[in-house]
Amino acid sequence: MSQEVTESADRAPLRALIIVDVQNDFCEGGALGITGGEAVATAIATVVRERADSYSAVLATQDWHIDPGPHFSPTPDFTNSWPEHCLAAQPGAALHPAMDEVAGLIGQHFRKGHFAAAYSGFEGRLAAADAHAADESGPLLGDWLRDANVTAVDIVGLATDYCVRATALDAIAQGFDTTVISQLTAAVHQENAASVLQELRDARVTVLSLG
Ligand SMILES: [Zn+2]
């Protein structure tokens, strides 16, 4: 690494973009499709294409279930239990096709929820993009970010009121300067989105509106 890069790294905080769970099952037509999910996927792809260079890392998290116990239910309440979704290595767990053209700009994938509910991306562990099985050997997201000297994170993705919320609260709790870009998220329960964003602001998350 050149001296120039090292010096600029000393001056500016290193910022990562965390793309939360932009997976087929969370978009329209998926097992747990969120209204606006596809639009969010498309908008995030544009941001990645245009701004990936401004981040020191661009990461994606994925819900990646094998047997998550009562997270799945045949009679889900859509609050604590859900229809089956994001089964490991199945099409529903893949990132939405709108992300395909920027797949090469997403440097790392962190997968979570193999055997229990895991809303926060910080419960995710690094996995190879083409790995199919549960992999419990990779570093946790927070440890990986600290090892990469990342101190600030921008969080986008699905869903505002579940995995984005949990990921942002964990990011703050772990000491990261944390921003949620609200237009690049969509909520399962849209009526709860405003109160969730206020909860995040109250927790010292920056909630950014673009444009
Ligand atoms: Zn899940």
Side-chain angles (χ1 to χ4, degrees), residues 158 185 203:
L158 304 171
T185 74

Side-chain angles (χ1 to χ4, degrees), residues 49-202:
R49 187 170 56 245
E50 295 179 352
R51 293 179 50 197
D53 287 351
S54 70
Y55 290 101
S56 63
V58 177
L59 322 169
T61 70
Q62 288 171 287
D63 224 15
W64 199 260
H65 292 310
I66 295 169
D67 181 8
H71 185 55
F72 286 170
S73 171
T75 54
D77 66 10
F78 293 90
T79 300
N80 295 306
S81 60
W82 307 91
E84 283 194 356
H85 59 275
C86 296
L87 296 172
Q90 297 301 305
L95 297 185
H96 188 276
M99 306 291 292
D100 284 354
E101 65 169 295
V102 296
L105 298 172
I106 298 172
Q108 287 78 27
H109 297 74
F110 289 83
R111 292 177 178 155
K112 59 187 175 65
H114 304 146
F115 299 107
Y119 294 103
S120 169
F122 282 81
E123 296 182 65
R125 290 182 180 275
L126 182 65
D130 59 354
H132 287 182
D135 183 352
E136 302 283 355
S137 65
L140 288 163
L141 174 58
D143 292 334
W144 188 92
L145 290 169
R146 282 181 286 275
D147 281 350
N149 297 315
V150 169
T151 58
V153 294
D154 287 355
I155 298 173
V156 300
L158 304 171
T160 320
D161 42 346
Y162 286 92
C163 293
V164 169
R165 171 185 177 274
T167 302
L169 292 175
D170 271 357
I172 279 287
Q174 294 194 21
F176 295 97
D177 178 355
T178 303
T179 298
V180 168
I181 303 173
S182 59
Q183 287 101 326
L184 300 181
T185 74
V188 174
H189 302 298
Q190 183 56 39
E191 66 275 19
N192 293 339
S195 64
V196 167
L197 293 174
Q198 188 57 49
E199 177 191 11
L200 295 179
R201 288 187 195 94
D202 291 344

